[in-house]
PDB file of all heavy atoms in Angstrom:
ATOM      1  N   ILE A 186     -25.915  27.004  57.320  1.00 98.00           N
ATOM      2  CA  ILE A 186     -25.530  27.976  56.305  1.00 98.00           C
ATOM      3  C   ILE A 186     -24.166  28.419  56.391  1.00 98.00           C
ATOM      4  O   ILE A 186     -23.684  28.562  57.626  1.00 98.00           O
ATOM      5  CB  ILE A 186     -26.462  29.152  56.301  1.00 98.00           C
ATOM      6  CG1 ILE A 186     -26.253  30.144  55.202  1.00 98.00           C
ATOM      7  CG2 ILE A 186     -26.483  29.886  57.691  1.00 98.00           C
ATOM      8  CD1 ILE A 186     -27.371  31.271  55.062  1.00 98.00           C
ATOM      9  N   ALA A 187     -23.442  28.642  55.280  1.00 98.00           N
ATOM     10  CA  ALA A 187     -22.128  29.121  55.316  1.00 98.00           C
ATOM     11  C   ALA A 187     -21.900  30.151  54.226  1.00 98.00           C
ATOM     12  O   ALA A 187     -22.217  29.903  52.999  1.00 98.00           O
ATOM     13  CB  ALA A 187     -21.030  27.970  55.127  1.00 98.00           C
ATOM     14  N   TYR A 188     -21.386  31.282  54.529  1.00 98.00           N
ATOM     15  CA  TYR A 188     -21.140  32.345  53.556  1.00 98.00           C
ATOM     16  C   TYR A 188     -19.791  32.060  52.861  1.00 98.00           C
ATOM     17  O   TYR A 188     -18.789  31.882  53.475  1.00 98.00           O
ATOM     18  CB  TYR A 188     -21.111  33.705  54.253  1.00 98.00           C
ATOM     19  CG  TYR A 188     -20.997  34.860  53.254  1.00 98.00           C
ATOM     20  CD1 TYR A 188     -22.144  35.163  52.494  1.00 98.00           C
ATOM     21  CD2 TYR A 188     -19.861  35.636  53.090  1.00 98.00           C
ATOM     22  CE1 TYR A 188     -22.125  36.276  51.504  1.00 98.00           C
ATOM     23  CE2 TYR A 188     -19.780  36.662  52.122  1.00 98.00           C
ATOM     24  CZ  TYR A 188     -20.913  36.909  51.367  1.00 98.00           C
ATOM     25  OH  TYR A 188     -20.914  37.910  50.437  1.00 98.00           O
ATOM     26  N   MET A 189     -19.824  32.196  51.510  1.00 98.00           N
ATOM     27  CA  MET A 189     -18.631  31.817  50.714  1.00 98.00           C
ATOM     28  C   MET A 189     -17.969  33.028  50.023  1.00 98.00           C
ATOM     29  O   MET A 189     -16.948  32.972  49.472  1.00 98.00           O
ATOM     30  CB  MET A 189     -19.053  30.849  49.641  1.00 98.00           C
ATOM     31  CG  MET A 189     -19.589  29.498  50.177  1.00 98.00           C
ATOM     32  SD  MET A 189     -20.065  28.362  48.941  1.00 98.00           S
ATOM     33  CE  MET A 189     -18.472  28.028  48.024  1.00 98.00           C
ATOM     34  N   GLY A 190     -18.703  34.190  50.092  1.00 98.00           N
ATOM     35  CA  GLY A 190     -18.130  35.455  49.428  1.00 98.00           C
ATOM     36  C   GLY A 190     -18.850  35.790  48.300  1.00 98.00           C
ATOM     37  O   GLY A 190     -19.553  35.024  47.542  1.00 98.00           O
ATOM     38  N   ASN A 191     -18.903  37.124  47.949  1.00 97.00           N
ATOM     39  CA  ASN A 191     -19.615  37.628  46.724  1.00 97.00           C
ATOM     40  C   ASN A 191     -21.018  37.289  46.676  1.00 97.00           C
ATOM     41  O   ASN A 191     -21.647  37.047  45.657  1.00 97.00           O
ATOM     42  CB  ASN A 191     -18.975  37.083  45.423  1.00 97.00           C
ATOM     43  CG  ASN A 191     -17.486  37.562  45.344  1.00 97.00           C
ATOM     44  OD1 ASN A 191     -17.122  38.708  45.595  1.00 97.00           O
ATOM     45  ND2 ASN A 191     -16.599  36.617  44.895  1.00 97.00           N
ATOM     46  N   GLY A 192     -21.668  37.290  47.888  1.00 97.00           N
ATOM     47  CA  GLY A 192     -23.104  37.074  48.014  1.00 97.00           C
ATOM     48  C   GLY A 192     -23.508  35.662  47.851  1.00 97.00           C
ATOM     49  O   GLY A 192     -24.783  35.353  48.032  1.00 97.00           O
ATOM     50  N   ARG A 193     -22.640  34.663  47.787  1.00 98.00           N
ATOM     51  CA  ARG A 193     -23.029  33.293  47.644  1.00 98.00           C
ATOM     52  C   ARG A 193     -22.993  32.692  49.113  1.00 98.00           C
ATOM     53  O   ARG A 193     -22.069  32.811  49.823  1.00 98.00           O
ATOM     54  CB  ARG A 193     -22.079  32.547  46.702  1.00 98.00           C
ATOM     55  CG  ARG A 193     -22.266  31.072  46.672  1.00 98.00           C
ATOM     56  CD  ARG A 193     -21.211  30.353  45.712  1.00 98.00           C
ATOM     57  NE  ARG A 193     -21.623  30.671  44.377  1.00 98.00           N
ATOM     58  CZ  ARG A 193     -20.752  30.572  43.314  1.00 98.00           C
ATOM     59  NH1 ARG A 193     -19.403  30.138  43.580  1.00 98.00           N
ATOM     60  NH2 ARG A 193     -21.012  30.803  42.104  1.00 98.00           N
ATOM     61  N   VAL A 194     -23.931  31.629  49.246  1.00 98.00           N
ATOM     62  CA  VAL A 194     -23.961  30.927  50.458  1.00 98.00           C
ATOM     63  C   VAL A 194     -24.217  29.409  50.088  1.00 98.00           C
ATOM     64  O   VAL A 194     -24.744  29.148  49.016  1.00 98.00           O
ATOM     65  CB  VAL A 194     -25.070  31.344  51.453  1.00 98.00           C
ATOM     66  CG1 VAL A 194     -24.798  32.708  51.938  1.00 98.00           C
ATOM     67  CG2 VAL A 194     -26.426  31.277  50.810  1.00 98.00           C
ATOM     68  N   ALA A 195     -23.795  28.567  50.984  1.00 98.00           N
ATOM     69  CA  ALA A 195     -24.080  27.119  50.889  1.00 98.00           C
ATOM     70  C   ALA A 195     -25.134  26.840  52.048  1.00 98.00           C
ATOM     71  O   ALA A 195     -24.921  27.314  53.153  1.00 98.00           O
ATOM     72  CB  ALA A 195     -22.860  26.340  51.118  1.00 98.00           C
ATOM     73  N   ILE A 196     -26.146  26.114  51.657  1.00 97.00           N
ATOM     74  CA  ILE A 196     -27.219  25.744  52.619  1.00 97.00           C
ATOM     75  C   ILE A 196     -27.391  24.220  52.659  1.00 97.00           C
ATOM     76  O   ILE A 196     -27.357  23.566  51.544  1.00 97.00           O
ATOM     77  CB  ILE A 196     -28.575  26.425  52.281  1.00 97.00           C
ATOM     78  CG1 ILE A 196     -28.336  27.977  52.508  1.00 97.00           C
ATOM     79  CG2 ILE A 196     -29.632  25.955  53.148  1.00 97.00           C
ATOM     80  CD1 ILE A 196     -29.618  28.719  51.995  1.00 97.00           C
ATOM     81  N   THR A 197     -27.363  23.638  53.860  1.00 94.00           N
ATOM     82  CA  THR A 197     -27.492  22.212  53.867  1.00 94.00           C
ATOM     83  C   THR A 197     -28.911  21.774  53.959  1.00 94.00           C
ATOM     84  O   THR A 197     -29.783  22.489  54.474  1.00 94.00           O
ATOM     85  CB  THR A 197     -26.763  21.555  55.167  1.00 94.00           C
ATOM     86  OG1 THR A 197     -27.469  22.101  56.284  1.00 94.00           O
ATOM     87  CG2 THR A 197     -25.376  21.884  55.227  1.00 94.00           C
ATOM     88  N   ASN A 198     -29.221  20.581  53.278  1.00 87.00           N
ATOM     89  CA  ASN A 198     -30.457  19.926  53.412  1.00 87.00           C
ATOM     90  C   ASN A 198     -30.162  18.661  54.336  1.00 87.00           C
ATOM     91  O   ASN A 198     -29.451  17.797  53.805  1.00 87.00           O
ATOM     92  CB  ASN A 198     -31.000  19.476  52.048  1.00 87.00           C
ATOM     93  CG  ASN A 198     -32.305  18.715  52.139  1.00 87.00           C
ATOM     94  OD1 ASN A 198     -32.505  17.871  52.996  1.00 87.00           O
ATOM     95  ND2 ASN A 198     -33.196  19.093  51.227  1.00 87.00           N
ATOM     96  N   GLU A 199     -30.640  18.714  55.531  1.00 80.00           N
ATOM     97  CA  GLU A 199     -30.119  17.687  56.492  1.00 80.00           C
ATOM     98  C   GLU A 199     -30.503  16.276  56.130  1.00 80.00           C
ATOM     99  O   GLU A 199     -29.682  15.393  56.001  1.00 80.00           O
ATOM    100  CB  GLU A 199     -30.611  17.992  57.860  1.00 80.00           C
ATOM    101  CG  GLU A 199     -30.125  17.015  58.893  1.00 80.00           C
ATOM    102  CD  GLU A 199     -30.650  17.255  60.301  1.00 80.00           C
ATOM    103  OE1 GLU A 199     -31.462  18.185  60.518  1.00 80.00           O
ATOM    104  OE2 GLU A 199     -30.111  16.662  61.198  1.00 80.00           O
ATOM    105  N   THR A 200     -31.746  16.045  55.733  1.00 76.00           N
ATOM    106  CA  THR A 200     -32.202  14.644  55.543  1.00 76.00           C
ATOM    107  C   THR A 200     -31.701  14.087  54.244  1.00 76.00           C
ATOM    108  O   THR A 200     -31.359  12.990  54.207  1.00 76.00           O
ATOM    109  CB  THR A 200     -33.761  14.645  55.506  1.00 76.00           C
ATOM    110  OG1 THR A 200     -34.246  15.686  54.523  1.00 76.00           O
ATOM    111  CG2 THR A 200     -34.349  14.946  56.879  1.00 76.00           C
TER     112      THR A 200
END
Side-chain angles (χ1 to χ4, degrees):
I186 184 170
Y188 188 72
M189 300 178 64
N191 298 318
R193 174 183 287 162
V194 294
I196 295 176
T197 62
N198 180 316
E199 182 176 11
T200 52

